[in-house]
Amino acid sequence: EMLDSNPGPSCNSEWTLLFWTSVAVVVPVIITLWCSAQRSKRKSHMKDFFRKSKHGWHYTDLFNKPTYCCVCSQHILQGAFCDCCGVCADEQCLRRADRSLSCKEIMAPSSPEGAMEHRWVRGNVPLASYCAVCKQQCGTQPKLCDIRCVWCQTTVHDDCMESLTDGDVCDLGEFHNLIIPPHYLYRVNKLRRRHPDEYSKLGSSCGSGWTPVLVLANTRSGNNMGEVLLGEFRTLLNPVQVFDLSQLTPSKALQLCTLLPPGSVQVLVCGGDGTVGWVLDAIDAMKLKGQDQFIPRVTILPLGTGNDLSNTLGWGAGYAGEIPVEQVLRNILDAEVVKMDRWKVQVASKGVYFRKPKVLSMNNYFSVGPDALMALSFHAHREKTPSFFSSRIINKAVYFLYGTRDCLVQECKDLDKRIELELDGERVKLPSLEGIIVCNIGYWGGGCRLWEGMGDEPCPPTRLDDGLLEVVGVFGSFHCAQIQVKLANPVRLGQAHTVRLVLKSSTMPMQVDGEPWAQGPCTITITHKTQAFMLYHSAEQTDDDDDETIAEACLGSTAK
């Protein structure tokens, strides 16, 4: 009785412990949720503010180098920066910075003497930048110091400013031949008669070697570097030259070509082979509008997964920031112009007489069989979970898994019994194949020289502008893998100006330049469409043994 008579203190202590434990768990959760809501609300207000601003503001939680506010001069860890002019500000000073500090003007008159003036921004100069006067390193003091011109990228110490020769004249720096000066667009806007001859006269004031470059970046390609590259190119060039293809189509972006001297424009496509094809289709549309004289030359910064066209033209198998964007622009200045065949793929489904055939453009290759099946499986899963496929390495690993699965399942076997092949009107007898690949370029499958194979057998040479397609067969996914590591040769079926395939029965996976689909019985006809002007870079190749072969294949088509 004495033991059970007084249970109260023990019970109270348990309830007290439970209460404080709950408080310790719930209060931090409530605070975290409140902070998250406030942060989301603040970001929403900032996004609205950034959209209305003349600056190209971007908010960051942590700057990647010592940074100082351009308004209060205090050291800041987080805040906003303009990717056009380089102005930085903390959150409290942001509105003041937006009002008092002007950004790069994309269109402005030149000085009365005809020269362009520097546009200086103080502080936060690039790392390893040197003073144009004393040649010593700038930005070494732990404070807001030294100045930089947002156009020519010249940096000068505060103390050396008075000694700067031609202090007010800006020559646009190293990349003056690639930049569209603000005064050029100002003069174009003042023209009473919009005519190509007028643009050529205005262009002569920009120098004899002026070949302005337009940057078209796909922020969704491959390893998602597009957003960073857009900012870096806006810093070095006129922001009006830099386009985000997630916000503006290539057709609209390329209309800037019609305000520049005919034959002078170059287009840098930052993206995968699919993005390049998208831009080339937009260029073909310019021809249909009668804008042939404004057709630009196209170069590539490979951000996709395969990047076979980029590899063929000497721009590498993939860009991951290993060289600075300044070097990318230097490579463009040194590149040579070549012609590249483009092809029309016409797919006429069997039994559908009143529907127009599907027409596609081809730059790289067409295929039916195991590699198209891998592309179709990859594409289907990427559509469901796009965030998972944000790395080039992950993408290639997924392709490998699909290829391994097909080695076991062999979904495309007996292709030779289901399909007929004609090259220039002549029927080709097929061996027991699982896949047929029709190539326009040297590389296939993310870096493999498909037509040459192991390189131990003589084969007809390939060129980008010869009007010929190379047609090969493969025995399956395992055979594809052997070819990629140079342990086997493909089945060379021939070269032709026109390729015709008839799928007699069943449904087969097909792809054009990495865009796959499942196709029922049909007739596929591949014919020459047009030629595109591309830029070829001879300094970089993925395989040193192939340098001479690739150079001959591309430079044999150099545009005179």
Side-chain angles (χ1 to χ4, degrees):
E1 291 178 2
M2 291 180 64
L3 290 171
D4 296 334
S5 62
N6 192 18
S10 175
C11 185
N12 289 339
S13 63
E14 288 178 3
W15 279 106
T16 303
L17 179 62
L18 180 62
F19 171 76
W20 287 112
T21 302
S22 301
V23 169
V25 172
V26 172
V27 169
V29 171
I30 292 173
I31 293 174
T32 302
L33 291 174
W34 182 83
C35 291
S36 177
Q38 291 297 110
R39 177 185 172 84
S40 178
K41 186 177 178 181
R42 191 172 76 248
K43 280 199 167 185
S44 178
H45 286 311
M46 277 195 176
K47 195 172 183 180
D48 187 56
F49 169 72
F50 289 171
R51 190 173 62 251
K52 296 175 182 177
S53 173
K54 291 183 179 179
H55 284 273
W57 292 115
H58 293 270
Y59 188 83
T60 179
D61 288 317
L62 183 66
F63 286 102
N64 59 5
K65 66 175 184 177
T67 304
Y68 300 87
C69 176
C70 292
V71 176
C72 66
S73 303
Q74 296 298 310
H75 179 262
I76 53 176
L77 293 176
Q78 63 180 36
F81 65 94
C82 175
D83 64 4
C84 297
C85 65
V87 166
C88 301
D90 62 18
E91 201 169 326
Q92 290 73 29
C93 300
L94 185 56
R95 294 186 182 277
R96 187 177 166 191
D98 193 67
R99 290 192 307 268
S100 60
L101 301 174
S102 59
C103 191
K104 270 184 176 179
E105 291 184 302
I106 62 174
M107 184 170 63
S110 55
S111 65
E113 295 80 20
M116 181 173 167
E117 296 181 352
H118 285 293
R119 164 72 181 86
W120 299 110
V121 167
R122 188 158 185 265
N124 304 309
V125 298
L127 299 173
S129 56
Y130 292 86
C131 177
V133 177
C134 69
K135 310 304 179 187
Q136 298 298 310
Q137 190 168 348
C138 291
T140 55
Q141 300 180 56
K143 63 177 184 179
L144 189 75
C145 63
D146 305 334
I147 57 174
R148 174 182 64 91
C149 174
V150 299
W151 288 106
C152 66
Q153 311 304 320
T154 296
T155 52
V156 184
H157 287 125
D158 292 328
D159 298 336
C160 297
M161 189 59 190
E162 293 181 359
S163 305
L164 184 66
T165 56
D166 298 327
D168 293 331
V169 179
C170 176
D171 63 358
L172 296 177
E174 179 183 1
F175 304 115
H176 62 276
N177 280 336
L178 300 178
I179 297 173
I180 300 177
H183 60 77
Y184 175 86
L185 293 176
Y186 180 82
R187 291 172 184 170
V188 167
N189 195 44
K190 294 291 184 181
L191 284 176
R192 293 183 179 179
R193 187 175 72 109
R194 297 286 180 91
H195 191 272
D197 292 341
E198 298 294 329
Y199 301 147
S200 298
K201 289 178 185 176
L202 292 179
S204 62
S205 65
C206 300
S208 58
W210 189 50
T211 52
V213 63
L214 307 186
V215 179
L216 278 61
N218 186 352
T219 54
R220 296 169 186 164
S221 284
N223 53 2
N224 292 329
M225 283 197 65
E227 196 71 44
V228 175
L229 288 168
L230 282 170
E232 292 181 349
F233 282 117
R234 286 190 188 111
T235 299
L236 294 173
L237 305 172
N238 189 330
V240 79
Q241 300 173 241
V242 184
F243 300 92
D244 183 351
L245 293 182
S246 66
Q247 299 179 1
L248 196 71
T249 63
S251 297
K252 292 182 178 178
L254 291 172
Q255 287 307 298
L256 183 55
C257 295
T258 63
L259 299 178
L260 297 165
S264 67
V265 184
Q266 303 172 108
V267 170
L268 172 62
V269 181
C270 305
D273 289 342
T275 307
V276 178
W278 190 18
V279 173
L280 291 176
D281 284 341
I283 291 174
D284 286 345
M286 290 178 66
K287 296 177 184 176
L288 295 175
K289 294 177 184 177
Q291 298 173 341
D292 299 61
Q293 56 189 326
F294 296 109
I295 295 301
R297 302 179 290 274
V298 178
T299 183
I300 308 167
L301 187 61
L303 302 183
T305 302
N307 304 310
D308 290 304
L309 180 56
S310 169
N311 221 352
T312 300
L313 292 168
W315 297 103
Y319 179 79
E322 59 274 6
I323 62 172
V325 291
E326 290 88 349
Q327 187 57 49
V328 173
L329 294 177
R330 292 184 194 108
N331 292 343
I332 294 173
L333 288 169
D334 295 336
E336 301 178 58
V337 182
V338 298
K339 292 179 182 178
M340 182 187 76
D341 293 321
R342 300 194 72 220
W343 301 82
K344 180 173 75 172
V345 180
Q346 191 167 329
V347 183
S349 297
K350 188 177 179 181
V352 181
Y353 302 107
F354 302 105
R355 189 184 302 171
K356 286 185 178 180
K358 179 164 68 172
V359 178
L360 304 167
S361 296
M362 185 185 94
N363 305 307
N364 299 2
Y365 38 74
F366 163 87
S367 70
V368 52
D371 69 320
L373 178 62
M374 286 186 280
L376 185 61
S377 302
F378 174 84
H379 185 76
H381 282 81
R382 185 167 65 174
E383 288 292 310
K384 293 178 183 177
T385 54
S387 58
F388 179 75
F389 298 90
S390 59
S391 164
R392 190 180 293 126
I393 294 175
I394 290 176
N395 294 352
K396 290 191 175 184
V398 172
Y399 263 103
F400 173 77
L401 291 174
Y402 288 137
T404 304
R405 186 186 69 177
D406 187 60
C407 287
L408 302 174
V409 179
Q410 292 184 310
E411 293 184 31
C412 303
K413 63 181 180 180
D414 298 327
L415 178 70
D416 54 299
K417 297 176 183 176
R418 302 188 230 175
I419 205 165
E420 293 178 0
L421 172 67
E422 291 181 9
L423 302 182
D424 289 336
E426 294 187 11
R427 177 87 175 269
V428 177
K429 187 176 181 181
L430 298 174
S432 180
L433 298 173
E434 284 192 28
I436 293 174
I437 304 165
V438 183
C439 290
N440 178 48
I441 61 175
Y443 281 98
W444 162 85
C448 168
R449 300 285 295 174
L450 181 63
W451 182 248
E452 284 84 355
M454 295 169 61
D456 60 341
E457 297 176 359
C459 59
T462 64
R463 274 178 40 178
L464 287 174
D465 70 334
D466 57 3
L468 286 172
L469 293 165
E470 286 71 48
V471 186
V472 303
V474 292
F475 295 120
S477 295
F478 186 68
H479 186 209
C480 289
Q482 287 180 308
I483 295 169
Q484 288 190 318
V485 294
K486 293 191 174 183
L487 291 178
N489 286 316
V491 180
R492 298 188 188 94
L493 300 173
Q495 292 177 296
H497 299 280
T498 301
V499 176
R500 186 169 179 266
L501 298 104
V502 179
L503 180 60
K504 296 180 288 186
S505 62
S506 72
T507 297
M508 292 292 291
M510 298 183 181
Q511 70 156 336
V512 172
D513 293 351
E515 298 297 324
W517 74 96
Q519 178 66 49
C522 66
T523 299
I524 297 157
T525 308
I526 306 176
T527 54
H528 193 268
K529 179 183 179 183
T530 185
Q531 286 189 323
F533 290 102
M534 310 296 289
L535 290 179
Y536 172 76
H537 181 230
S538 59
E540 295 178 14
Q541 298 294 344
T542 53
D543 192 333
D544 294 338
D545 295 337
D546 294 328
D547 284 0
E548 190 174 339
T549 304
I550 300 166
E552 287 176 1
C554 291
L555 295 180
S557 61
T558 301
K560 301 297 182 183

